[in-house]
Protein backbone atom coordinates (compact mmCIF):
# COMPACT_ATOMS: atom_id res chain seq x y z
CA UNK A 1 0.00 0.00 0.00
CA UNK A 2 2.79 2.45 0.85
CA UNK A 3 4.43 1.82 -2.52
CA UNK A 4 1.16 2.48 -4.35
CA UNK A 5 0.64 5.89 -2.78
CA UNK A 6 4.29 6.84 -3.19
CA UNK A 7 4.00 5.99 -6.90
CA UNK A 8 0.86 8.11 -7.21
CA UNK A 9 2.61 11.02 -5.52
CA UNK A 10 5.50 10.58 -7.97
CA UNK A 11 3.02 10.85 -10.85
CA UNK A 12 1.60 14.07 -9.37
CA UNK A 13 5.09 15.50 -9.13
CA UNK A 14 5.83 14.48 -12.72
CA UNK A 15 2.56 15.97 -14.00
CA UNK A 16 3.18 19.36 -12.42
CA UNK A 17 6.80 19.37 -13.55
CA UNK A 18 5.74 18.62 -17.13
CA UNK A 19 2.83 21.06 -17.32
CA UNK A 20 3.77 23.86 -14.94
CA UNK A 21 7.51 23.76 -14.18
CA UNK A 22 9.64 26.22 -16.13
CA UNK A 23 12.56 28.62 -15.85
CA UNK A 24 11.82 32.13 -14.68
CA UNK A 25 12.08 34.33 -17.80
CA UNK A 26 14.38 31.72 -19.34
CA UNK A 27 17.09 32.32 -16.72
CA UNK A 28 19.33 29.27 -16.20
CA UNK A 29 19.34 27.76 -12.70
CA UNK A 30 15.77 28.87 -11.88
CA UNK A 31 12.44 27.07 -11.58
CA UNK A 32 8.89 28.24 -10.92
CA UNK A 33 5.44 26.80 -11.54
CA UNK A 34 3.28 28.48 -14.19
CA UNK A 35 -0.10 29.17 -12.59
CA UNK A 36 -2.28 27.49 -15.24
CA UNK A 37 -2.29 24.76 -17.86
CA UNK A 38 -2.62 25.33 -20.73
CA UNK A 39 -1.10 28.77 -20.07
CA UNK A 40 -1.48 32.06 -21.87
CA UNK A 41 1.55 34.22 -22.62
CA UNK A 42 1.20 36.49 -19.57
CA UNK A 43 1.10 33.41 -17.34
CA UNK A 44 4.22 31.97 -18.94
CA UNK A 45 5.98 35.27 -18.19
CA UNK A 46 4.80 35.41 -14.55
CA UNK A 47 3.33 38.88 -15.13
CA UNK A 48 1.04 38.41 -12.13
CA UNK A 49 2.97 37.23 -9.10
CA UNK A 50 1.43 34.40 -7.04
CA UNK A 51 3.83 34.55 -4.09
CA UNK A 52 2.07 32.08 -1.82
CA UNK A 53 1.22 29.57 -4.58
CA UNK A 54 4.94 29.22 -5.21
CA UNK A 55 5.47 28.68 -1.48
CA UNK A 56 3.14 25.67 -1.62
CA UNK A 57 4.79 24.45 -4.79
CA UNK A 58 8.10 24.56 -2.91
CA UNK A 59 6.51 22.71 0.02
CA UNK A 60 5.40 19.94 -2.34
CA UNK A 61 8.91 19.67 -3.77
CA UNK A 62 10.20 19.26 -0.22
CA UNK A 63 7.56 16.58 0.48
CA UNK A 64 8.76 14.57 -2.51
CA UNK A 65 12.39 14.92 -1.48
CA UNK A 66 11.62 13.78 2.06
CA UNK A 67 9.99 10.64 0.67
CA UNK A 68 13.00 9.85 -1.48
CA UNK A 69 15.82 12.31 -1.85
CA UNK A 70 17.35 12.61 -5.31
CA UNK A 71 19.82 14.98 -6.92
CA UNK A 72 17.17 16.22 -9.32
CA UNK A 73 14.74 16.99 -6.50
CA UNK A 74 17.36 18.86 -4.51
CA UNK A 75 18.34 20.89 -7.59
CA UNK A 76 14.70 21.78 -8.18
CA UNK A 77 14.25 22.94 -4.58
CA UNK A 78 17.32 25.17 -4.80
CA UNK A 79 16.28 26.58 -8.16
CA UNK A 80 12.75 27.29 -6.98
CA UNK A 81 13.88 29.10 -3.82
CA UNK A 82 16.24 31.18 -5.96
CA UNK A 83 13.55 31.99 -8.54
CA UNK A 84 11.02 33.06 -5.87
CA UNK A 85 13.52 35.59 -4.55
CA UNK A 86 14.34 36.89 -8.02
CA UNK A 87 10.71 37.17 -9.14
CA UNK A 88 9.88 39.05 -5.96
CA UNK A 89 12.23 41.74 -7.32
CA UNK A 90 13.87 42.47 -4.00
CA UNK A 91 13.88 41.07 -0.51
CA UNK A 92 11.37 38.36 0.33
CA UNK A 93 9.84 40.59 3.01
CA UNK A 94 8.75 42.89 0.19
CA UNK A 95 5.11 41.86 0.52
CA UNK A 96 2.30 43.47 2.50
CA UNK A 97 0.52 40.22 3.36
CA UNK A 98 1.65 38.33 6.43
CA UNK A 99 -0.11 35.12 5.35
CA UNK A 100 1.96 35.03 2.14
CA UNK A 101 5.18 35.56 4.08
CA UNK A 102 4.27 32.96 6.70
CA UNK A 103 3.71 30.31 4.04
CA UNK A 104 7.01 31.04 2.37
CA UNK A 105 8.84 31.06 5.71
CA UNK A 106 7.45 27.59 6.46
CA UNK A 107 8.41 26.22 3.05
CA UNK A 108 11.92 27.69 3.09
CA UNK A 109 12.56 26.38 6.61
CA UNK A 110 11.52 22.87 5.58
CA UNK A 111 13.73 23.13 2.51
CA UNK A 112 16.67 24.25 4.65
CA UNK A 113 16.46 21.07 6.72
CA UNK A 114 16.97 18.81 3.72
CA UNK A 115 20.40 17.29 3.14
CA UNK A 116 22.46 18.98 0.42
CA UNK A 117 19.99 21.86 0.02
CA UNK A 118 21.41 25.34 0.45
CA UNK A 119 19.99 27.33 3.34
CA UNK A 120 18.03 30.27 1.88
CA UNK A 121 19.82 33.53 2.68
CA UNK A 122 16.64 35.46 3.50
CA UNK A 123 14.93 32.91 5.75
CA UNK A 124 15.85 34.53 9.06
CA UNK A 125 14.86 37.97 7.78
CA UNK A 126 11.45 36.62 6.77
CA UNK A 127 10.91 35.00 10.17
CA UNK A 128 11.96 38.20 11.96
CA UNK A 129 9.60 40.24 9.81
CA UNK A 130 6.67 38.10 10.93
CA UNK A 131 7.58 38.49 14.58
CA UNK A 132 7.96 42.24 14.17
CA UNK A 133 4.49 42.46 12.62
CA UNK A 134 2.65 41.28 15.74
CA UNK A 135 0.15 43.91 16.87
CA UNK A 136 1.07 45.36 20.27
CA UNK A 137 -2.54 45.39 21.51
CA UNK A 138 -4.01 42.14 20.25
CA UNK A 139 -0.64 40.32 20.26
CA UNK A 140 -1.48 38.62 16.96
CA UNK A 141 -0.75 39.45 13.33
CA UNK A 142 -2.92 41.56 11.07
CA UNK A 143 -3.71 40.13 7.66
CA UNK A 144 -1.41 42.70 6.04
CA UNK A 145 0.71 45.65 7.07
CA UNK A 146 -1.19 48.45 8.81
CA UNK A 147 -4.48 46.59 8.44
CA UNK A 148 -7.29 46.27 10.99
CA UNK A 149 -8.21 42.71 10.06
CA UNK A 150 -6.74 40.01 12.32
CA UNK A 151 -7.36 36.65 10.71
CA UNK A 152 -6.47 32.99 10.86
CA UNK A 153 -4.96 32.85 7.33
CA UNK A 154 -2.10 35.01 8.63
CA UNK A 155 -1.91 33.79 12.20
CA UNK A 156 -2.32 30.04 11.68
CA UNK A 157 0.79 29.48 9.56
CA UNK A 158 2.70 32.09 11.56
CA UNK A 159 1.98 30.17 14.78
CA UNK A 160 3.32 26.98 13.17
CA UNK A 161 6.47 28.84 12.14
CA UNK A 162 6.91 30.33 15.60
CA UNK A 163 6.48 26.97 17.32
CA UNK A 164 9.01 25.33 14.99
CA UNK A 165 11.57 28.06 15.64
CA UNK A 166 11.28 28.03 19.42
CA UNK A 167 9.04 31.09 19.83
CA UNK A 168 6.67 29.01 21.94
CA UNK A 169 5.01 31.79 23.91
CA UNK A 170 4.24 33.81 20.79
CA UNK A 171 2.79 30.72 19.11
CA UNK A 172 0.75 29.83 22.17
CA UNK A 173 -0.62 33.37 22.43
CA UNK A 174 -1.88 33.16 18.84
CA UNK A 175 -3.44 29.72 19.30
CA UNK A 176 -5.16 30.74 22.54
CA UNK A 177 -6.50 33.90 20.85
CA UNK A 178 -8.03 31.83 18.04
CA UNK A 179 -9.54 29.33 20.47
CA UNK A 180 -10.99 32.11 22.64
CA UNK A 181 -12.38 34.29 19.86
CA UNK A 182 -12.93 32.39 16.63
CA UNK A 183 -14.53 29.02 17.31
CA UNK A 184 -18.16 28.70 16.19
CA UNK A 185 -20.94 26.55 17.63
CA UNK A 186 -19.97 23.63 15.39
CA UNK A 187 -16.42 23.62 16.74
CA UNK A 188 -14.92 25.05 13.54
CA UNK A 189 -12.54 27.98 13.13
CA UNK A 190 -13.98 31.23 11.78
CA UNK A 191 -11.96 33.56 9.57
CA UNK A 192 -11.03 36.53 11.77
CA UNK A 193 -11.89 39.76 13.54
CA UNK A 194 -12.06 43.15 11.85
CA UNK A 195 -11.79 46.28 13.96
CA UNK A 196 -14.44 48.84 12.99
CA UNK A 197 -15.48 52.20 14.39
CA UNK A 198 -18.43 50.51 16.11
CA UNK A 199 -16.15 47.87 17.62
CA UNK A 200 -14.74 44.45 16.69
CA UNK A 201 -16.65 42.55 13.98
CA UNK A 202 -16.24 38.78 13.67
CA UNK A 203 -15.96 37.50 10.10
CA UNK A 204 -17.74 34.17 10.46
CA UNK A 205 -16.77 32.57 7.13
CA UNK A 206 -15.47 29.00 7.42
CA UNK A 207 -12.59 27.76 5.27
CA UNK A 208 -10.92 24.37 5.31
CA UNK A 209 -7.37 25.68 5.43
CA UNK A 210 -8.02 27.65 8.62
CA UNK A 211 -8.90 24.38 10.35
CA UNK A 212 -5.65 22.91 9.06
CA UNK A 213 -3.35 25.65 10.27
CA UNK A 214 -4.86 25.78 13.76
CA UNK A 215 -4.55 21.99 13.90
CA UNK A 216 -0.93 22.18 12.77
CA UNK A 217 -0.04 24.80 15.37
CA UNK A 218 -1.71 22.84 18.18
CA UNK A 219 0.12 19.66 17.19
CA UNK A 220 3.48 21.48 17.23
CA UNK A 221 2.84 23.04 20.64
CA UNK A 222 1.53 19.83 22.19
CA UNK A 223 4.57 17.86 21.06
CA UNK A 224 6.88 20.58 22.36
CA UNK A 225 5.04 20.42 25.67
CA UNK A 226 5.53 16.64 25.78
CA UNK A 227 9.26 17.12 25.21
CA UNK A 228 9.42 19.69 28.00
CA UNK A 229 7.55 17.34 30.35
CA UNK A 230 9.97 14.54 29.57
CA UNK A 231 12.85 16.86 30.39
CA UNK A 232 11.07 18.24 33.50
CA UNK A 233 11.33 21.73 32.01
CA UNK A 234 9.29 24.61 33.48
CA UNK A 235 7.74 25.38 30.07
CA UNK A 236 5.73 22.16 30.34
CA UNK A 237 3.36 23.78 32.79
CA UNK A 238 1.47 25.54 29.98
CA UNK A 239 -0.22 22.28 29.01
CA UNK A 240 -1.09 20.64 25.72
CA UNK A 241 -3.97 20.95 23.24
CA UNK A 242 -4.88 17.29 22.78
CA UNK A 243 -8.55 17.75 23.72
CA UNK A 244 -8.87 20.69 21.34
CA UNK A 245 -7.14 18.72 18.56
CA UNK A 246 -9.56 15.81 18.94
CA UNK A 247 -12.57 18.13 18.99
CA UNK A 248 -11.42 20.01 15.89
CA UNK A 249 -10.82 16.82 13.87
CA UNK A 250 -14.26 15.56 14.90
CA UNK A 251 -15.81 18.86 13.78
CA UNK A 252 -14.03 18.64 10.43
CA UNK A 253 -15.34 15.09 9.99
CA UNK A 254 -18.90 16.15 10.78
CA UNK A 255 -19.13 19.44 8.91
CA UNK A 256 -16.46 19.46 6.17
CA UNK A 257 -16.55 15.92 4.83
CA UNK A 258 -18.98 13.51 3.24
CA UNK A 259 -20.28 10.58 5.31
CA UNK A 260 -17.54 8.52 3.66
CA UNK A 261 -14.91 10.94 5.01
CA UNK A 262 -14.02 12.83 1.80
CA UNK A 263 -13.13 16.49 2.42
CA UNK A 264 -15.71 18.58 0.58
CA UNK A 265 -16.65 22.15 1.42
CA UNK A 266 -18.45 24.70 -0.79
CA UNK A 267 -16.19 27.64 0.13
CA UNK A 268 -13.20 25.92 -1.44
CA UNK A 269 -13.10 27.00 -5.03
CA UNK A 270 -10.94 28.39 -7.79
CA UNK A 271 -7.94 30.68 -7.53
CA UNK A 272 -6.55 30.82 -4.01
CA UNK A 273 -9.41 28.59 -2.87
CA UNK A 274 -7.96 25.75 -4.90
CA UNK A 275 -5.22 25.39 -2.27
CA UNK A 276 -7.49 25.21 0.76
CA UNK A 277 -8.25 21.47 0.85
CA UNK A 278 -4.63 20.57 0.24
CA UNK A 279 -3.47 22.67 3.18
CA UNK A 280 -6.00 20.98 5.46
CA UNK A 281 -4.92 17.44 4.53
CA UNK A 282 -1.25 18.36 4.97
CA UNK A 283 -1.89 19.05 8.66
CA UNK A 284 -4.34 16.18 9.09
CA UNK A 285 -1.52 13.90 7.96
CA UNK A 286 0.78 15.62 10.44
CA UNK A 287 -1.70 14.77 13.21
CA UNK A 288 -2.11 11.18 12.02
CA UNK A 289 1.64 10.55 11.93
CA UNK A 290 3.08 12.66 14.74
CA UNK A 291 0.53 12.60 17.56
CA UNK A 292 1.44 10.18 20.38
CA UNK A 293 -0.20 6.77 20.43
CA UNK A 294 -2.31 7.86 23.41
CA UNK A 295 -4.28 10.09 21.01
CA UNK A 296 -5.72 7.11 19.17
CA UNK A 297 -9.10 8.68 18.30
CA UNK A 298 -7.61 11.83 16.81
CA UNK A 299 -4.98 9.88 14.85
CA UNK A 300 -7.56 7.47 13.43
CA UNK A 301 -10.00 10.21 12.47
CA UNK A 302 -7.29 12.28 10.77
CA UNK A 303 -6.05 9.25 8.86
CA UNK A 304 -9.56 8.35 7.70
CA UNK A 305 -10.13 11.85 6.29
CA UNK A 306 -6.86 11.83 4.37
CA UNK A 307 -7.16 8.32 2.98
CA UNK A 308 -10.83 8.58 2.03
CA UNK A 309 -10.14 11.87 0.27
CA UNK A 310 -7.12 10.43 -1.55
CA UNK A 311 -9.06 7.38 -2.76
CA UNK A 312 -11.92 9.55 -4.02
CA UNK A 313 -9.69 12.06 -5.73
CA UNK A 314 -7.65 9.35 -7.45
CA UNK A 315 -10.81 7.66 -8.73
CA UNK A 316 -12.08 10.98 -10.14
CA UNK A 317 -8.85 11.98 -11.89
CA UNK A 318 -8.29 12.22 -15.62
CA UNK A 319 -5.10 11.22 -17.40
CA UNK A 320 -3.29 13.02 -20.21
CA UNK A 321 -0.19 11.36 -21.66
CA UNK A 322 -0.22 8.95 -18.74
CA UNK A 323 -0.15 11.71 -16.09
CA UNK A 324 -3.03 12.72 -13.80
CA UNK A 325 -5.23 15.81 -13.90
CA UNK A 326 -6.87 16.13 -10.49
CA UNK A 327 -10.43 17.26 -9.81
CA UNK A 328 -10.75 20.41 -7.75
CA UNK A 329 -13.67 18.87 -5.87
CA UNK A 330 -12.50 15.46 -4.78
CA UNK A 331 -16.04 14.03 -4.95
CA UNK A 332 -16.52 14.90 -8.66
CA UNK A 333 -14.96 13.94 -11.97
CA UNK A 334 -12.09 16.14 -13.15
CA UNK A 335 -12.70 18.30 -16.20
CA UNK A 336 -10.06 18.72 -18.87
CA UNK A 337 -9.25 22.37 -19.66
CA UNK A 338 -7.25 21.37 -22.73
CA UNK A 339 -10.52 20.50 -24.50
CA UNK A 340 -11.62 24.13 -24.19
CA UNK A 341 -8.37 25.77 -25.24
CA UNK A 342 -8.75 28.13 -28.23
CA UNK A 343 -5.66 30.33 -28.01
CA UNK A 344 -7.27 32.59 -25.45
CA UNK A 345 -5.19 35.64 -26.35
CA UNK A 346 -6.78 35.79 -29.82
CA UNK A 347 -10.26 34.59 -28.92
CA UNK A 348 -13.57 36.14 -28.02
CA UNK A 349 -14.44 36.89 -24.42
CA UNK A 350 -16.68 33.82 -24.26
CA UNK A 351 -13.86 31.49 -25.28
CA UNK A 352 -11.60 33.08 -22.72
CA UNK A 353 -14.28 32.65 -20.08
CA UNK A 354 -14.77 28.98 -20.95
CA UNK A 355 -11.08 28.33 -20.43
CA UNK A 356 -10.70 30.27 -17.19
CA UNK A 357 -13.82 28.70 -15.68
CA UNK A 358 -12.32 25.20 -15.78
CA UNK A 359 -10.93 25.07 -12.26
CA UNK A 360 -8.69 22.10 -13.04
CA UNK A 361 -6.62 24.41 -15.24
CA UNK A 362 -5.23 26.19 -12.18
CA UNK A 363 -1.99 25.30 -10.43
CA UNK A 364 -3.65 25.77 -7.04
CA UNK A 365 -6.08 22.92 -7.70
CA UNK A 366 -3.34 20.59 -8.97
CA UNK A 367 -1.07 21.42 -6.02
CA UNK A 368 -3.87 20.43 -3.64
CA UNK A 369 -4.06 17.09 -5.41
CA UNK A 370 -0.33 16.63 -5.07
CA UNK A 371 -0.47 17.61 -1.36
CA UNK A 372 -3.20 15.03 -0.80
CA UNK A 373 -1.18 12.24 -2.41
CA UNK A 374 1.92 13.21 -0.42
CA UNK A 375 -0.22 13.11 2.73
CA UNK A 376 -1.51 9.64 1.86
CA UNK A 377 2.01 8.44 1.02
CA UNK A 378 3.30 9.77 4.32
CA UNK A 379 0.60 8.05 6.37
CA UNK A 380 0.95 4.68 4.63
CA UNK A 381 4.75 4.78 4.85
CA UNK A 382 4.51 5.54 8.57
CA UNK A 383 2.13 2.64 9.11
CA UNK A 384 4.31 0.30 7.05
CA UNK A 385 7.28 1.05 9.26
CA UNK A 386 5.25 0.22 12.34
CA UNK A 387 3.76 -2.94 10.83
CA UNK A 388 5.74 -4.68 8.07
CA UNK A 389 2.59 -6.66 7.12
CA UNK A 390 0.82 -3.54 5.84
Amino acid sequence: MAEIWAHRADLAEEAIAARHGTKLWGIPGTNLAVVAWPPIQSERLFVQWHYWWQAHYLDCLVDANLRRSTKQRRFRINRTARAVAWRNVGKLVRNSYYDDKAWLALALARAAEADKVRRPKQLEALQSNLLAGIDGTRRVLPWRSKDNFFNVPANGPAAIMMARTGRVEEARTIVDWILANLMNKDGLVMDGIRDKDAGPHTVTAIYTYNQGTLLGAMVELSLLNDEALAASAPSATSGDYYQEITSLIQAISMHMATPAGVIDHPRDGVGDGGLFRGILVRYLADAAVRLPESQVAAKAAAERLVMASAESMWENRLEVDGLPVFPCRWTEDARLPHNYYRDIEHSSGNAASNLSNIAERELSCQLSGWMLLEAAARITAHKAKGNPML
Side-chain angles (χ1 to χ4, degrees), residues 9 16 52-67 102-104 106-111 156-157 160 164 208-217 219-220 249 252 263 274-291 302-303 305-307 309-310 330 364 366-379:
I16 288 179
W52 80 293
W53 291 25
Q54 302 296 332
H56 286 287
Y57 172 53
L58 179 60
D59 239 349
C60 286
L61 294 174
V62 174
D63 286 340
N65 191 63
L66 285 173
R67 266 193 303 109
W103 287 121
L104 186 56
L106 285 173
L108 290 174
R110 293 184 71 225
I160 297 170
R164 289 179 180 175
T208 48
Y209 74 143
N210 286 340
Q211 322 309 311
T213 57
L214 177 61
L215 177 62
V219 168
E220 294 290 346
I249 295 174
I252 294 166
I263 301 293
L275 284 166
F276 292 175
R277 289 182 180 87
I279 292 169
L280 172 56
V281 295
R282 176 183 294 282
Y283 294 106
L284 284 168
D286 215 37
V289 169
R290 296 178 64 205
L291 286 176
E303 178 184 330
L305 288 166
V306 172
M307 298 311 300
S309 297
W330 297 337
S364 57
Q366 299 307 309
L367 284 179
S368 269
W370 186 4
M371 280 188 256
L372 176 55
L373 294 179
E374 292 289 357
R378 184 182 179 196
I379 287 173

Side-chain angles (χ1 to χ4, degrees), residues 126-252:
L126 199 56
Q127 293 169 340
S128 297
N129 179 267
L130 287 161
L131 289 164
I134 294 175
D135 179 76
T137 301
R138 288 194 180 274
R139 298 177 66 199
V140 297
L141 283 165
W143 180 33
R144 56 188 175 185
S145 301
K146 301 178 182 179
D147 201 2
N148 64 351
F149 186 32
F150 301 88
N151 67 356
V152 180
N155 283 282
I160 297 170
M161 183 276 290
M162 292 171 190
R164 289 179 180 175
T165 55
R167 282 91 169 187
V168 175
E169 289 309 311
E170 291 91 340
R172 188 175 288 277
T173 295
I174 289 174
V175 167
D176 290 346
W177 177 80
I178 294 171
L179 291 172
N181 295 283
L182 290 173
M183 306 303 293
N184 73 3
K185 61 181 178 58
D186 292 327
L188 295 172
V189 186
M190 296 181 287
D191 198 44
I193 294 176
R194 190 182 302 277
D195 286 339
K196 295 188 173 183
D197 292 341
H201 169 72
T202 301
V203 178
T204 60
I206 302 295
Y207 300 102
T208 48
Y209 74 143
N210 286 340
Q211 322 309 311
T213 57
L214 177 61
L215 177 62
M218 292 193 297
V219 168
E220 294 290 346
L221 288 170
S222 296
L223 295 177
L224 286 172
N225 187 72
D226 287 353
E227 291 177 9
L229 275 173
S232 300
S235 59
T237 58
S238 296
D240 58 55
Y241 294 93
Y242 289 136
Q243 182 176 343
E244 290 84 358
I245 288 169
T246 300
S247 296
L248 180 56
I249 295 174
Q250 289 173 343
I252 294 166

Side-chain angles (χ1 to χ4, degrees), residues 287-364:
V289 169
R290 296 178 64 205
L291 286 176
E293 293 305 316
S294 61
Q295 303 303 309
V296 60
K299 289 171 71 71
E303 178 184 330
R304 175 176 180 265
L305 288 166
V306 172
M307 298 311 300
S309 297
E311 291 280 7
S312 180
M313 186 196 70
W314 189 255
E315 288 300 313
N316 286 308
R317 78 194 186 284
L318 291 174
E319 288 192 359
V320 177
D321 297 328
L323 297 175
V325 175
F326 302 122
C328 286
R329 291 193 69 173
W330 297 337
T331 56
E332 299 178 357
D333 289 339
R335 296 179 297 169
L336 191 61
H338 185 76
N339 290 343
Y340 295 83
Y341 189 54
R342 295 290 186 276
D343 193 5
I344 187 172
E345 292 152 314
H346 303 289
S347 300
S348 67
N350 287 338
S353 177
N354 284 340
L355 178 59
S356 62
N357 285 339
I358 303 301
E360 283 78 0
R361 177 175 176 262
E362 297 191 323
L363 172 67
S364 57

